[in-house]
Amino acid sequence: SQTIHQWPATLVQPVGSPLSLECTVEGTSNPNLYWYRQAAGRGLQLLFYSVGIGQISSEVPQNLSASRPQDRQFILSSKKLLLSDSGFYLCAWRSFHSYNEQFFGPGTRLTVL
Amino acid sequence: TQLLEQSPQFLSIQEGENLTVYCNSSSVFSSLQWYRQEPGEGPVLLVTVVTGGEVKKLKRLTFQFGDARKDSSLHITAAQPGDTGLYLCAGARDYKLSFGAGTTVTVRA
């Protein structure tokens, strides 16, 4: 069965510090991978998606970047965090053979102070 | 601007009552997903609807996809406290999902 991991679960960072959030998927190959941000109790905003190693599409211009160094690894980064980067970050994967169902990781709660 | 509009935004009902959540759009989707999310956790997929007019039942939950594949509804019969959560609809196009803002459902015992 497929499993998706995210770490860390919680992160508190000062403004101006760097960021690295990691997401890995097990039990599937060549998945589409996605990063979302969610405001409290609200819907999800798509930040980046990737259809393969080294292939990143950005949905929203922002202070963040993403990379996919391996087939089942997706990283969200920032060189200098802003207060507005605070939120709940979710990674998701999609099987190539599906009706676009996406399966989500447990999320990372980021607080920028 | 949200591509998918969900209503109502909040819903608080007594255990045993029925409820309906609506998800509307002016766009056509290849499929539509419903998710339920608990606080501090990732959304969990409940159902995918693909065909216009399709109705799917999952125990006490009934999902319907509009004939034109632009809208959907989620109906819960005899709600229980375990149904409490944030319900999200998401429309699929080009390998991406566009999410509604969510409906927070609270079922009081």
Side-chain angles (χ1 to χ4, degrees):
Chain A
S1 64
Q2 299 83 13
T3 310
I4 180 168
H5 303 279
Q6 284 186 245
W7 64 88
T10 307
L11 192 59
V12 180
Q13 292 284 94
V15 169
S17 64
L19 173 74
S20 181
L21 303 182
E22 190 163 343
C23 170
T24 59
V25 182
E26 296 176 357
T28 186
S29 58
N30 196 30
N32 287 4
L33 296 172
Y34 304 82
W35 277 113
Y36 292 87
R37 179 167 57 205
Q38 183 178 30
R42 305 303 289 158
L44 279 63
Q45 178 188 34
L46 179 62
L47 302 176
F48 301 94
Y49 73 96
S50 171
V51 300
I53 297 174
Q55 300 179 64
I56 309 295
S57 296
S58 174
E59 289 294 298
V60 182
Q62 59 213 320
N63 186 41
L64 302 169
S65 62
S67 62
R68 185 169 177 175
Q70 300 180 39
D71 181 46
R72 287 171 285 180
Q73 184 184 30
F74 205 20
I75 297 171
L76 184 68
S77 304
S78 174
K79 291 182 179 178
K80 289 185 178 181
L81 284 169
L82 306 172
L83 287 173
S84 57
D85 292 324
S86 294
F88 192 49
Y89 288 84
L90 289 156
C91 180
W93 71 274
R94 170 190 169 269
S95 170
F96 184 78
H97 305 285
S98 77
Y99 287 114
N100 281 310
E101 294 101 341
Q102 292 183 18
F103 301 93
F104 288 84
T108 295
R109 172 73 59 194
L110 172 66
T111 303
V112 183
L113 301 174
Chain B
T1 303
Q2 209 84 33
L3 195 60
L4 281 163
E5 298 291 334
Q6 276 188 247
S7 61
Q9 185 176 347
F10 298 97
L11 198 52
S12 181
I13 60 170
Q14 201 69 33
E15 181 177 5
E17 295 180 339
N18 301 334
L19 68 95
T20 302
V21 178
Y22 299 94
C23 178
N24 296 298
S25 177
S26 57
S27 301
V28 177
F29 298 104
S30 58
S31 65
L32 193 139
Q33 282 77 34
W34 283 94
Y35 291 83
R36 183 165 141 256
Q37 185 179 22
E38 302 280 352
E41 299 179 7
V44 175
L45 179 67
L46 295 175
V47 77
T48 296
V49 285
V50 179
T51 307
E54 182 177 3
V55 177
K56 279 192 174 179
K57 291 191 176 183
L58 189 68
K59 296 183 180 179
R60 293 177 294 99
L61 279 62
T62 301
F63 304 87
Q64 188 163 5
F65 201 13
D67 290 341
R69 291 187 291 135
K70 293 181 180 181
D71 53 83
S72 180
S73 64
L74 157 62
H75 182 79
I76 300 180
T77 303
Q80 299 175 1
D83 295 324
T84 293
L86 177 67
Y87 288 83
L88 296 159
C89 66
R93 283 194 304 184
D94 299 330
Y95 309 123
K96 295 183 288 184
L97 293 179
S98 296
F99 280 83
T103 296
T104 299
V105 172
T106 303
V107 182
R108 305 184 304 274

Coordinates of all heavy atoms in Angstrom, one line a residue, chain B residues 6 10 19 21 24 30 34 36-37 43 47 51 59 62 69 73 75 78 87 90-91 101 103:
Chain B
Q6 N -18.5 26.7 -2.1 CA -19.2 25.7 -1.2 C -20.1 26.5 -0.3 O -19.8 27.6 0.1 CB -18.2 25.0 -0.4 CG -17.6 23.8 -1.0 CD -16.7 22.9 -0.1 OE1 -15.5 22.9 -0.2 NE2 -17.4 22.3 0.9
F10 N -20.6 27.2 7.3 CA -20.7 26.5 8.6 C -22.0 25.9 8.7 O -23.0 26.4 8.3 CB -20.5 27.5 9.8 CG -19.1 28.2 9.8 CD1 -19.0 29.5 9.2 CD2 -18.0 27.6 10.3 CE1 -17.7 30.1 9.2 CE2 -16.8 28.2 10.3 CZ -16.6 29.5 9.8
L19 N -28.3 16.7 6.7 CA -27.6 17.9 6.2 C -27.2 17.7 4.8 O -27.0 16.6 4.3 CB -26.4 18.3 7.1 CG -25.2 17.3 7.0 CD1 -24.2 17.9 6.0 CD2 -24.6 17.2 8.4
V21 N -24.5 19.6 1.9 CA -23.5 20.6 1.5 C -23.4 20.7 0.0 O -23.5 19.7 -0.7 CB -22.1 20.1 2.1 CG1 -21.0 21.1 1.7 CG2 -22.2 20.0 3.6
N24 N -20.6 24.4 -6.0 CA -21.0 24.9 -7.3 C -19.9 25.6 -8.1 O -19.0 26.2 -7.5 CB -22.2 25.9 -7.1 CG -23.4 25.2 -6.6 OD1 -23.9 24.3 -7.2 ND2 -23.8 25.6 -5.4
S30 N -13.5 17.2 -15.1 CA -13.4 15.8 -15.5 C -13.8 14.8 -14.4 O -14.3 13.7 -14.7 CB -12.0 15.4 -16.0 OG -11.1 15.6 -15.0
W34 N -14.7 14.6 -3.1 CA -15.0 15.1 -1.7 C -14.1 14.5 -0.7 O -13.7 13.3 -0.7 CB -16.5 14.7 -1.3 CG -17.5 15.5 -2.0 CD1 -18.2 15.1 -3.2 CD2 -18.1 16.7 -1.6 NE1 -19.1 16.1 -3.5 CE2 -19.1 17.1 -2.5 CE3 -17.9 17.5 -0.5 CZ2 -19.9 18.2 -2.4 CZ3 -18.6 18.7 -0.4 CH2 -19.6 19.0 -1.3
R36 N -12.8 14.8 3.6 CA -13.1 15.2 5.0 C -11.8 15.4 5.7 O -10.9 14.6 5.6 CB -14.0 14.2 5.7 CG -14.4 14.7 7.1 CD -15.6 13.8 7.6 NE -15.4 13.6 9.0 CZ -15.0 12.4 9.5 NH1 -14.8 11.4 8.7 NH2 -14.8 12.3 10.8
Q37 N -11.7 16.5 6.5 CA -10.5 16.8 7.2 C -10.8 17.0 8.7 O -11.7 17.8 9.0 CB -9.8 18.0 6.6 CG -8.5 18.4 7.1 CD -7.8 19.6 6.4 OE1 -8.5 20.4 5.8 NE2 -6.5 19.7 6.5
P43 N -6.4 16.1 4.6 CA -7.7 15.7 4.1 C -7.7 14.2 3.7 O -6.7 13.7 3.2 CB -8.0 16.6 2.9 CG -7.0 17.7 3.0 CD -5.9 17.2 3.7
V47 N -14.9 10.2 -1.7 CA -15.4 9.7 -2.9 C -15.0 10.5 -4.1 O -14.6 11.6 -4.0 CB -17.0 9.8 -2.8 CG1 -17.5 11.2 -3.1 CG2 -17.7 8.8 -3.8
T51 N -19.1 10.7 -13.7 CA -20.1 10.8 -14.8 C -21.2 11.8 -14.4 O -21.7 11.8 -13.2 CB -20.7 9.4 -15.0 OG1 -19.7 8.5 -15.3 CG2 -21.6 9.5 -16.2
K59 N -22.5 4.4 2.9 CA -23.2 4.3 4.2 C -24.2 5.4 4.3 O -25.2 5.4 3.5 CB -22.2 4.3 5.4 CG -21.3 3.1 5.4 CD -20.4 3.1 6.6 CE -19.5 1.9 6.6 NZ -18.6 1.9 7.7
T62 N -24.5 10.4 0.8 CA -24.9 10.3 -0.6 C -24.2 11.5 -1.3 O -24.4 12.7 -1.0 CB -26.4 10.4 -0.7 OG1 -27.0 9.3 0.0 CG2 -26.8 10.2 -2.2
R69 N -21.7 18.3 -15.0 CA -20.4 18.1 -14.3 C -19.8 19.5 -13.8 O -18.6 19.7 -13.9 CB -19.4 17.4 -15.2 CG -19.8 15.9 -15.4 CD -18.7 15.2 -16.2 NE -18.6 15.6 -17.6 CZ -17.5 15.8 -18.2 NH1 -16.4 15.7 -17.6 NH2 -17.5 16.2 -19.5
S73 N -23.2 17.7 -4.7 CA -23.8 17.8 -3.4 C -23.4 16.6 -2.5 O -23.2 15.5 -3.1 CB -25.3 18.0 -3.4 OG -25.9 16.9 -3.9
H75 N -24.9 14.7 0.9 CA -26.0 14.7 1.8 C -25.7 13.6 2.9 O -25.3 12.5 2.5 CB -27.3 14.3 1.1 CG -28.5 14.2 2.0 ND1 -29.2 15.3 2.4 CD2 -29.1 13.1 2.5 CE1 -30.2 14.9 3.2 NE2 -30.2 13.6 3.3
A78 N -29.1 11.2 9.1 CA -29.0 10.9 10.5 C -27.6 11.1 11.0 O -26.9 10.2 11.4 CB -29.4 9.4 10.7
Y87 N -15.5 19.6 5.4 CA -15.8 18.9 4.2 C -15.3 19.8 3.0 O -15.8 20.9 2.9 CB -17.3 18.5 4.1 CG -17.6 17.4 5.0 CD1 -17.9 17.7 6.4 CD2 -17.7 16.1 4.6 CE1 -18.2 16.7 7.3 CE2 -18.0 15.1 5.5 CZ -18.3 15.4 6.8 OH -18.6 14.4 7.7
A90 N -13.5 19.2 -4.5 CA -12.3 19.6 -5.3 C -12.7 19.1 -6.7 O -13.0 17.9 -6.9 CB -11.0 18.9 -4.8
G91 N -12.5 20.0 -7.7 CA -12.8 19.7 -9.1 C -11.4 19.4 -9.8 O -10.5 20.2 -9.6
A101 N -13.7 26.3 -0.6 CA -13.2 26.9 0.7 C -13.6 26.0 1.9 O -13.1 26.2 3.0 CB -13.8 28.3 0.9
T103 N -16.7 23.4 4.1 CA -17.9 23.6 5.0 C -17.5 22.9 6.3 O -17.2 21.7 6.3 CB -19.1 22.9 4.4 OG1 -19.5 23.6 3.2 CG2 -20.3 23.0 5.3

